[in-house]
Amino acid sequence: MSPSAEQDLGAIRGALVVPGLPMQLPEYAGQADAGGEIRERSVAALVEAIADWKPSAVVVVAGHDPLAEHTKGSVGARVARLLLAGAGWEGPVREISVPIDADPGELDGAAERVLEGRTATGALVLVPADLSAKRTEAAPGHFDARAAAFDAHVLDAIASGDAAALIRCDLVLAQELWATGQAPLQVLARVLPAPVRSEIMWSALPWGVQYVRARWWGRKA
Amino acid sequence: MTFRLGRAVFDSDARLVMAIVNRTPDSFYDKGATWDDAAAKDRVRLVVDQGADIVDIGGIKAAPGVEIDAEEEKRRVVDFVAWVRGAFPDLIISVDTWRAEVGRAVCEAGADLLNDAWGGADPELPAVAAEFGAALVCTHTGGVPPRTRPFRIEYDDVVDDIRESLVEQAERAAALGVARDRILIDPAHDFGKNTYHSLEATRRLGELVATGWPVLVSLSNKDFVGETLDKPVGERLTGTLATTAVSAWLGANVFRAHEVAETRQVLDMVSSIAGHRRPARTVRGLQ
């Protein structure tokens, strides 16, 4: 699956979207590691992506809550560091943080910062990002009837490698549905604007939150 | 500070459940429920399943009653200790006895701990623990003889009396050869105490913990709980568990109990609040 030169996406080898839930962090685990399986499968996906794409660097695009007043750093970035450590990645890493309520201008700015870091041999973009958190009565954000259609649209855009469809998502609705991953996904859509090859490796909503693990790589033929 | 019971080593933040297994026909709470051999064995299996760390086997009820001599006490407990030892090789076995003669027999049968519930009534008991490498619980009874209810006992300061008595007993046991990390102290709620005394012993339990000897508390369904809440035997679980939680928070290490599953839950909860134990499973707010 190694990309040939013509498949190179402006020196971005490919992107891996992974669940970003804090339950994956060891400091939040109970005796039973409820987020462990999700974390380990993401590590495995990252190992596979690194082996396939042989990137020279990793760019993490993670959302952060501008209203959260703590110094721990964003959960997404911390999850990404954990996954990279788990995958044994020792190369360079750049973290691009984007507010989860970013407007289009901020998203464009974040995308430019991703592209500034392009290297000749290509980067892997790692995106911890989750969809809505209002799919069921027991979901963190309770049930919202609009959430299923929203998630279906985003999943379809990811599955088909359709960056333009991702960018068309309603940012206000995403906020209302607690889709904290929408901003980083929109940044991804901006740095890989052409139709790309895509694969959804897993998607589920075990706690009323829609998760997805997917990858984008290479231009579509 | 660590302490040892049997082959196990425990840290100072350990919170262990000692399950009561009576080999008596007349104990105040269970009224002979495990007098029968098969019922007693079932009880051991149950409490192990429920998370007991220790079983405390007793052949004589604490309250006054028909006199039970050492031969009868041994008939009630020794063979049973041997059965538990065989069936549960890693379970810590305690025997509630004040008699050195009985202590020797149960240690030969495999007991790990002698629970001297009557505060050194038989001065030879620590030497038996020392001989067998067993652990010993020292208790405060205010000087009353075994199986005697308190009557008009007063103290200048009950906790001072408890502490001085227990430290003296513990040091004596150590001098007789009991390993220092196999000696526990028990303020013995209700024993030689009225309800105010037991409440104060609970409130000031930290002073006993501060002695450095691991503290055992025996609270389960006792009269001080009943009098405090005006509840008869059979309706004292809530009060017992409240006292258990407070005692655990103040640093007690071993909790002698009838209701093992409930006690285990309370201790696990306290341990997690104290930051000594991770919750079982964490999802809320982290999805």
Side-chain angles (χ1 to χ4, degrees), chain B residues 255-270:
Chain B
F255 301 79
R256 186 174 179 272
H258 297 102
E259 281 89 1
V260 171
E262 293 85 348
T263 304
R264 180 80 270 160
Q265 281 190 37
V266 167
L267 297 180
D268 285 350
M269 196 71 209
V270 171

Side-chain angles (χ1 to χ4, degrees), chain B residues 1 167 170-171 174 180 183-185 208-209 211-215 253:
Chain B
M1 177 204 72
V167 169
E171 291 293 350
R180 293 188 75 85
I183 298 171
L184 297 89
I185 60 172
L208 304 181
V209 172
T211 65
W213 299 101
V215 172
N253 293 118

Side-chain angles (χ1 to χ4, degrees), chain B residues 29 189 198-199 202 217-232 234-248 255 259 262-263 266:
Chain B
Y29 185 65
H189 295 67
S198 293
L199 292 172
T202 305
V217 287
S218 181
L219 313 165
S220 199
N221 299 291
K222 281 189 168 174
D223 281 350
F224 82 97
V225 175
E227 289 193 356
T228 299
L229 300 178
D230 193 18
K231 294 293 182 190
E235 297 180 28
R236 298 176 179 175
L237 178 58
T238 304
T240 297
L241 295 176
T243 316
T244 298
V246 170
S247 302
F255 301 79
E259 281 89 1
E262 293 85 348
T263 304
V266 167

Side-chain angles (χ1 to χ4, degrees), chain A residues 180-204:
Chain A
T180 55
Q182 189 56 31
L185 286 172
Q186 294 250 342
V187 173
L188 173 64
R190 281 163 166 77
V191 299
L192 295 178
V196 291
R197 297 184 184 194
S198 53
E199 175 190 11
I200 287 192
M201 307 159 83
W202 172 79
S203 70

Side-chain angles (χ1 to χ4, degrees), chain A residues 21 23 26 28-32 211, chain B residues 277-282 286-287:
Chain A
L21 64 164
M23 204 188 301
Y28 287 131
Q31 294 174 29
Y211 304 121
Chain B
R277 171 190 177 274
R278 285 196 170 228
R281 181 178 166 82
T282 46
L286 301 171
Q287 302 100 318

Side-chain angles (χ1 to χ4, degrees), chain A residues 39-67:
Chain A
R39 179 183 64 242
E40 294 311 315
R41 288 182 183 275
S42 290
V43 167
L46 184 56
V47 167
E48 188 180 350
I50 290 169
D52 288 345
W53 302 334
K54 298 177 177 54
S56 60
V58 171
V59 181
V60 173
V61 180
H64 72 266
D65 182 351
L67 299 178

Side-chain angles (χ1 to χ4, degrees), chain B residues 12 24-25 42 53 72 93 100 108-109 118 121 127 146 155 169 200 204 211 213 247 251 255 259 265 273:
Chain B
S12 58
T24 57
D42 285 346
D53 304 284
E72 173 60 14
I93 301 174
E108 286 171 344
W118 289 100
Y155 301 91
Q169 289 182 59
E200 185 164 0
R204 295 171 56 192
T211 65
W213 299 101
S247 302
F255 301 79
E259 281 89 1
Q265 281 190 37
I273 292 168

